[in-house]
Amino acid sequence: MTLRIRTNLAAACLAALVAVPLAATPRITSVSPPGGQRGTAVQLVLEGSGLSGRLRVHSEVPGSLTELTADADSGGRHFLLEIGAAAPPGAYRIAVETDHGVSNAWLFSVSDLPEIREKESLSARAPRNDSGEAAQVIAVPVVVSGTLTSADRDRFRVGLEAGQRVTFEVEARRLGSAVDPVLAVSGPDGRLIGRPDDSPGVGGDARISLEAAASGDYLVEVRDSRFSDQSRNFYRLVAGPVEYAEAIFPLGWKSGESVEVELSGGTLAQPERVVAEGEEVRLPDGRGGLPIPFLRSDDPEILEPEAEAARLLSPSTVVNGRIEQPGEVDSYRIDVKEGEQWLLETQAAVLGTSQLYTLLTVSDQNGTKLGSAGDQPPEELLSNISVRSEAFGDPALGLTVPEGVSGLRVDVEDLLGRGGPGYSYRLVARRQPGDFIVRLDDTHVNIPRGGATSVSFTMDRRGFDGPVRIIAENLPPGVTAEGGNIPAEFGGMTTQRQSLNGRLMFAATEDAESARSQLSLYAEGTAVDGSAIRRPVLTSRVVTSVAGTRQRPVRLRGPTGRVDATVTVPPPATIEVLSGHQLRLIQGQQHVIKWAFHTHQPGVRAVDPIRLINGPAVANLRILGDAKIKAGDKLSSLDMNTTMGTPAMRFDLVLQGRVRHEGAVHQIYSRAIAVDIVQGYEVGAPTGPVSVQAGGEFQISGSFARRAEFDSEVVLEAANLPAGVSCRPLTIGDSPETYSLSCEAEDAVESGDHLIEVVPRSVLAGRDKEAVPYNISPVEAVLAISREG
């Protein structure tokens, strides 16, 4: 059966409907070809998993799509894609949807040049083009779609006339490819003309423009910078008289507002001005290739004032600036008060449209350096400075204003002393105690009816050490969100914080409507001064894993704080938590997590044993019992053990498993188990100095609070007492709100102020009938001793 659907030039939602066998969540692993010329038709092949049966293709490519074959086992799903003749050059999103959810997205590049394929990548038996003698002959203008494997070097021979202008550009990272491309162009005499890598304005891709000095054959080589072996290894070589800009200013503006931006460099004889309306900017009249990404924020935005002296930096206002000349330093001033907490944040590298390696330096009103970011941690580990040298690509710095400081000088410069039209930046100062960035690691949320799914988040700390909670809003009917807790930072004050992970669980009722919606995601925390911090979660349109040690995934920025979600068909199996979803443990206690495994379709087989995931990476927290669990166990349990060294915190545990049904593998999850590790009791210090008269009796009093789960006796003793002062230990067996130690001072006691401690001691009974010492930190008090006369 073939179904043909026409679309308009704004967007397309295309469907091909056949039988409905059960399949896992769809995933695209290849789109071939990765692009096409506008006004032409291409045979589009989608390959991956879970693509059999009923399939709906969500495409933003202007044009129409026709299903050619519905048999995914015959080498993928084949479509005839007819690209609209008026389609603007750019990268357009393609994803597929089945009853089991929406797949990852793939970007399809539309150009206005003729398109061909690299012959080597068409067949394993095709001759290789790794040498100059075997180079594939091409004629400009053209776009060549190819692939790179390991130590592959793809070479192309192109004939040019003297004086002919041509641009060679690789599209790879901007389309979500894992290839990190390098270009090399040699002239007819064999001499190297240029070898660009990470060219300005192309987000990690490579580009070179030249005027042929002589007529003859020019050799163009494309390779991966690390000769790595990547699964998503495609690229597109653009060759022709393509115009482009390599610099943009400003880099972004406030959401919902239009702004005039300057495009310069590249092939432009002089800067051109265009109006930015959305999140992309392109040359007027349809010129050029892929558009330039443009940042949007929720803050007020201004252009840097044209002043020679340090300019006033208004709190929570984004300043768009540019380092115009090599060695230039842009300076700003902030009026502050001692004790205030400030966060300074920059953006330059985040979109790959600025060449600036930002160096951020802060000094006081006298010129004394307080801290820097983007170069190295401060020379001294100052407790009032928090540095993040790389916060998802750009430096930020947080500080507490030291005593005697009334003003700050903020300097922005290039770490390498460079400058020019392509060295733009964004700078914002916020009066707040630290901040954080939270990023969604997934591109789409698929929620099974009657089941649960998990999405993960990565947090980057910017001077904020406390816990963070991920909040999901605009949930569709029948859908709930649980978890999302990222614990506080542990390990003491350092100049750089590690990234932490968290998970948010989504569950749908059995009668929830199968539909797509857009969720709003926010990260919330509480600052040390009690003020609330709420930040939208960063999202990605495309996420591509990059093979190799210490390689970050390729992430193409998505709409901030928003992600698409789909309610799908029920899962073939579920995991039920039998021991409760809310758990509170005193440090040193243990808990048994019981679960049951249920199948809902015949022929379902467990692939892996059920296991707990998302436990925080802290010492003294152990999950026992994994070795006893086998794949397919219907009932079992896991023991969670804590010790006195387990930090008080809140986190979420999730049970995870994999099952196979009708040849497809499905991930299944339990609902979130919210775990609170708490201190058994708290002892408060006296509210002020304790007045003591020599020769008299007195009381040392404070607050006392006990957790209901902690039923052991607590003994309080006074320590570090001066000579001549004694206090009787106090045993607390119930739950009073206050305590009082009875003390006395001898006549000969020495007058003055003395720092003492109230020391709590207890045991934690019940673990294997063993009394484990449970002692919390002492509290301090001041004895103010005086004598009559």
Side-chain angles (χ1 to χ4, degrees):
M1 170 181 176
T2 299
L3 177 67
R4 183 181 181 88
I5 301 178
R6 287 285 180 181
T7 65
N8 58 36
L9 294 183
C13 183
L14 309 149
L17 307 177
V18 291
V20 192
L22 185 66
T25 301
R27 179 165 186 81
I28 299 175
T29 59
S30 173
V31 172
S32 180
Q37 183 183 15
R38 59 182 178 179
T40 65
V42 299
Q43 181 173 327
L44 191 69
V45 182
L46 306 183
E47 295 183 281
S49 58
L51 303 185
S52 298
R54 185 184 182 196
L55 190 71
R56 295 174 291 278
V57 181
H58 299 281
S59 171
E60 297 174 350
V61 181
S64 65
L65 201 71
T66 303
E67 173 81 34
L68 298 178
T69 174
D71 184 6
D73 296 328
S74 63
R77 298 293 285 263
H78 293 244
F79 298 86
L80 179 66
L81 173 61
E82 297 174 88
I83 307 171
Y92 296 90
R93 184 176 178 271
I94 294 177
V96 301
E97 180 180 0
T98 70
D99 289 341
H100 291 268
V102 175
S103 73
N104 57 308
W106 201 284
L107 294 184
F108 184 89
S109 181
V110 173
S111 76
D112 57 2
L113 303 181
E115 304 244 352
I116 62 172
R117 303 291 295 276
E118 179 211 7
K119 294 179 179 179
E120 178 187 307
S121 64
L122 292 175
S123 170
R125 295 187 297 271
R128 298 184 63 84
N129 59 349
D130 291 10
S131 66
E133 295 76 14
Q136 181 175 341
V137 177
I138 61 175
V140 295
V142 72
V143 178
V144 184
S145 292
T147 58
L148 292 170
T149 56
S150 190
D152 196 6
R153 296 174 185 263
D154 287 351
R155 288 174 170 159
F156 304 91
R157 188 173 301 279
V158 54
L160 299 177
E161 298 293 333
Q164 184 177 355
R165 283 203 160 273
V166 64
T167 296
F168 298 104
E169 176 179 331
V170 178
E171 297 176 357
R173 286 292 171 103
R174 288 170 294 168
L175 300 179
S177 174
V179 170
D180 184 7
V182 176
L183 262 175
V185 180
S186 302
D189 57 2
R191 293 185 180 181
L192 181 68
I193 297 174
R195 185 182 285 116
D197 180 10
D198 296 341
S199 300
V202 288
D205 286 339
R207 177 168 58 193
I208 185 173
S209 182
L210 59 91
E211 179 179 321
S215 299
D217 287 344
Y218 288 71
L219 191 65
V220 181
E221 176 186 288
V222 182
R223 67 172 176 85
D224 181 78
S225 63
R226 300 184 312 278
F227 292 108
S228 60
D229 195 7
Q230 305 292 340
S231 59
R232 194 174 298 191
N233 61 350
F234 68 89
Y235 69 87
R236 286 165 51 81
L237 172 64
V238 181
V242 179
E243 293 187 79
Y244 65 90
E246 60 185 9
I248 179 174
F249 179 77
L251 298 176
W253 205 253
K254 185 176 182 178
S255 296
E257 295 184 1
S258 61
V259 63
E260 188 178 65
V261 301
E262 177 188 279
L263 301 177
S264 60
T267 61
L268 302 184
Q270 58 185 11
E272 297 189 27
R273 295 188 174 273
V274 298
V275 175
E277 300 284 358
E279 297 182 351
E280 292 181 338
V281 177
R282 62 177 73 243
L283 287 170
D285 305 322
R287 296 147 53 212
L290 296 179
I292 299 174
F294 191 70
L295 273 171
R296 290 293 183 174
S297 80
D298 294 328
D299 296 313
E301 304 227 6
I302 62 171
L303 299 178
E304 61 174 325
E306 296 189 8
E308 297 296 330
R311 295 150 282 193
L312 181 64
L313 193 60
S314 300
S316 299
T317 297
V318 179
V319 176
N320 290 275
R322 180 162 54 180
I323 304 299
E324 300 276 5
Q325 302 294 331
E328 178 182 317
V329 178
D330 282 0
S331 297
Y332 301 87
R333 62 181 176 86
I334 310 175
D335 296 327
V336 298
K337 297 179 181 178
E338 59 182 66
E340 288 183 340
Q341 293 180 300
W342 285 82
L343 176 76
L344 304 171
E345 177 184 0
T346 65
Q347 291 178 320
V350 63
L351 291 180
T353 51
S354 174
Q355 301 178 60
L356 188 69
Y357 288 168
T358 309
L359 171 58
L360 181 66
T361 307
V362 178
S363 309
D364 66 14
Q365 70 274 12
N366 300 317
T368 302
K369 180 180 175 180
L370 300 178
S372 63
D375 51 353
Q376 57 187 13
E379 296 178 2
E380 299 181 9
L381 301 183
L382 304 176
S383 62
N384 67 320
I385 295 289
S386 174
V387 172
R388 183 63 178 167
S389 297
E390 185 179 12
F392 293 156
D394 291 302
L397 187 149
L399 79 160
T400 301
V401 179
E403 183 179 354
V405 174
S406 59
L408 298 177
R409 176 187 172 109
V410 181
D411 292 335
V412 180
E413 59 187 302
D414 183 70
L415 181 64
L416 305 180
R418 303 166 303 167
Y423 292 81
S424 301
Y425 63 87
R426 291 158 58 80
L427 171 68
V428 63
R430 307 183 195 276
R431 188 186 295 113
Q432 66 177 49
D435 202 352
F436 48 81
I437 294 175
V438 175
R439 181 185 61 211
L440 175 67
D441 297 327
D442 302 275
T443 60
H444 192 93
V445 182
N446 293 307
I447 312 166
R449 293 199 312 273
T453 192
S454 171
V455 293
S456 62
F457 299 82
T458 299
M459 185 174 84
D460 186 51
R461 295 186 181 274
R462 293 177 158 187
F464 180 85
D465 300 334
V468 168
R469 176 83 184 276
I470 311 299
I471 305 295
E473 298 178 349
N474 300 326
L475 296 173
V479 174
T480 58
E482 300 174 335
N485 292 295
I486 301 178
E489 182 81 16
F490 304 105
M493 182 66 184
T494 63
T495 56
Q496 183 165 316
R497 298 305 187 190
Q498 64 180 357
S499 295
L500 294 176
N501 299 321
R503 283 182 179 268
L504 191 62
M505 303 300 299
F506 292 95
T509 59
E510 293 181 355
D511 59 352
E513 181 181 353
S514 295
R516 298 185 67 188
S517 60
Q518 191 171 73
L519 308 180
S520 298
L521 297 175
Y522 294 90
E524 297 182 347
T526 302
V528 293
D529 63 357
S531 60
I533 303 177
R534 180 179 167 95
R535 297 284 177 263
V537 172
L538 300 183
T539 63
S540 304
R541 289 190 301 161
V542 175
V543 178
T544 301
S545 297
V546 179
T549 58
R550 305 186 70 177
Q551 297 299 317
R552 294 186 175 187
V554 176
R555 296 184 181 275
L556 303 182
R557 193 181 183 97
T560 301
R562 301 189 304 277
V563 65
D564 290 334
T566 303
V567 176
T568 69
V569 298
T574 54
I575 305 170
E576 180 186 6
V577 177
L578 302 177
S579 50
H581 295 272
Q582 300 290 330
L583 175 61
R584 188 165 69 177
L585 287 180
I586 305 296
Q587 295 161 321
Q589 288 184 339
Q590 65 183 22
H591 183 78
V592 177
I593 299 174
K594 299 179 179 180
W595 52 265
F597 171 64
H598 305 290
T599 59
H600 307 295
Q601 299 284 345
V604 175
R605 297 179 59 86
V607 177
D608 299 319
I610 304 298
R611 65 189 185 97
L612 274 174
I613 61 173
N614 201 50
V618 297
N620 305 311
L621 176 68
R622 293 184 300 163
I623 307 296
L624 304 177
D626 295 44
K628 302 176 184 178
I629 302 173
K630 299 178 181 178
D633 282 353
K634 299 298 182 182
L635 292 169
S636 193
S637 63
L638 292 158
D639 294 341
M640 182 172 64
N641 289 343
T642 67
T643 72
M644 276 297 300
T646 306
M649 59 180 168
R650 171 173 289 185
F651 59 93
D652 307 300
L653 290 177
V654 178
L655 289 163
Q656 180 194 56
R658 290 195 308 158
V659 299
R660 184 183 299 277
H661 183 248
E662 295 186 354
V665 175
H666 303 254
Q667 291 273 9
I668 59 172
Y669 300 91
S670 72
R671 288 176 49 197
I673 306 170
V675 180
D676 280 304
I677 307 297
V678 297
Q679 189 171 284
Y681 62 95
E682 295 180 357
V683 176
T687 55
V690 179
S691 298
V692 179
Q693 187 72 36
E697 297 181 350
F698 62 96
Q699 304 286 323
I700 299 177
S701 302
S703 61
F704 181 85
R706 178 195 295 272
R707 297 283 184 179
E709 299 88 349
F710 190 87
D711 56 5
S712 299
E713 290 184 342
V714 177
V715 177
L716 301 183
E717 298 177 329
N720 300 330
L721 296 171
V725 176
S726 61
C727 298
R728 290 181 290 279
L730 174 65
T731 300
I732 303 176
D734 52 4
S735 301
E737 295 183 355
T738 60
Y739 69 88
S740 290
L741 294 176
S742 297
C743 308
E744 58 184 21
E746 298 177 0
D747 291 335
V749 68
E750 182 179 350
S751 62
D753 292 343
H754 301 268
L755 184 65
I756 68 165
E757 291 181 339
V758 177
V759 180
R761 303 188 190 282
S762 186
V763 295
L764 186 66
R767 173 177 288 186
D768 298 327
K769 300 180 180 180
E770 176 186 1
V772 179
Y774 187 91
N775 302 318
I776 66 175
S777 300
V779 297
E780 294 181 339
V782 175
L783 293 186
I785 301 177
S786 61
R787 304 179 63 84
E788 291 185 357

